[in-house]
Amino acid sequence: MMSRSEPNNQPLVVKILGILALGTMGALTGFGFASIMEVEQGASWADSLALAMAVALLAIAVLSGVTMVLRPSTVPKGCGILQITVFLLAGVMFLTPIYGPTWFNADVVFGGIVVLLIVQSVANLMLWRAADEMLRQVMAETSAIAFWVLQTALFLYAAAERLGLVDTISGWGLTGILMAVYLVASIVAAARRGIN
């Protein structure tokens, strides 16, 4: 959740409760991820990365909700729920191809993913419209950082693959890498502008 760093005049008890809530969420996230990885010991590295991204995105959504409740004045008006929705949908979209086929056939799972992606895209556009100028700059800078890092890495990887130095990576694996780079880029862009 991106919120501006500004003086916080909340009582000490509220701050302590906020820190405890964040610590608890971090512990639960770590425990949940460790439990999933224990069950998924035979999973490919691409599925393991997708699970890590899903857990991270869902945890960010929950922490964003906590932030919105504890520091509502630091969240740009209209952005909080949209940011949470975008993170939740992204996390679910990473989980769906892995666990969806257990309950539904591949066509139904893929159709569900398409619907989720459309809803998330609309939420992202609404978020852009509701954001203030600083948040828009962070979003644009995140995209630029991610683009340049990924473009450079893709070129080097493609050259190494063409030379037979590395194996081919699936599109699923590349998507996990893309999201990991994007999350790191968003943290860097937000930190540069004093947003936490």
Side-chain angles (χ1 to χ4, degrees):
M1 176 76 151
M2 294 181 194
S3 56
R4 287 192 196 85
S5 294
E6 53 187 47
N8 195 341
N9 297 325
Q10 294 179 336
L12 182 60
V13 174
V14 173
K15 291 179 185 178
I16 291 171
L17 289 175
I19 291 169
L20 289 174
L22 292 175
T24 302
M25 287 306 306
L28 290 174
T29 300
F31 176 76
F33 183 65
S35 300
I36 289 170
M37 293 313 293
E38 187 176 334
V39 170
E40 299 292 333
Q41 295 245 328
S44 67
W45 72 266
D47 279 350
S48 297
L49 180 56
L51 286 171
M53 290 301 95
V55 169
L57 290 163
L58 294 173
I60 290 169
V62 172
L63 292 174
S64 296
V66 171
T67 300
M68 197 170 79
V69 169
L70 294 179
R71 301 187 317 184
S73 63
T74 63
V75 179
K77 188 176 179 183
C79 289
I81 296 297
L82 290 171
Q83 284 180 318
I84 292 168
T85 300
V86 167
F87 286 128
L88 283 174
L89 290 174
V92 170
M93 284 189 290
F94 268 106
L95 292 175
T96 303
I98 299 171
Y99 296 110
T102 304
W103 297 291
F104 306 102
N105 67 43
D107 293 338
V108 173
V109 173
F110 186 73
I113 292 169
V114 169
V115 170
L116 291 175
L117 184 59
I118 291 169
V119 172
Q120 192 206 34
S121 296
V122 170
N124 263 319
L125 289 172
M126 291 171 65
L127 177 58
W128 179 264
R129 290 181 56 126
D132 62 12
E133 190 56 37
M134 181 178 286
L135 186 53
R136 285 185 185 181
Q137 287 177 349
V138 169
M139 293 164 77
E141 191 171 309
T142 296
S143 298
I145 292 170
F147 171 78
W148 289 109
V149 168
L150 289 166
Q151 178 190 26
T152 303
L154 179 60
F155 174 76
L156 291 174
Y157 172 79
E161 181 186 39
R162 179 65 179 90
L163 293 168
L165 300 174
V166 296
D167 293 329
T168 301
I169 297 177
S170 70
W172 183 237
L174 290 172
T175 300
I177 292 169
L178 181 147
M179 182 53 72
V181 169
Y182 191 84
L183 282 177
V184 171
S186 70
I187 291 167
V188 170
R192 287 187 67 231
R193 300 210 175 261
I195 296 176
N196 55 44

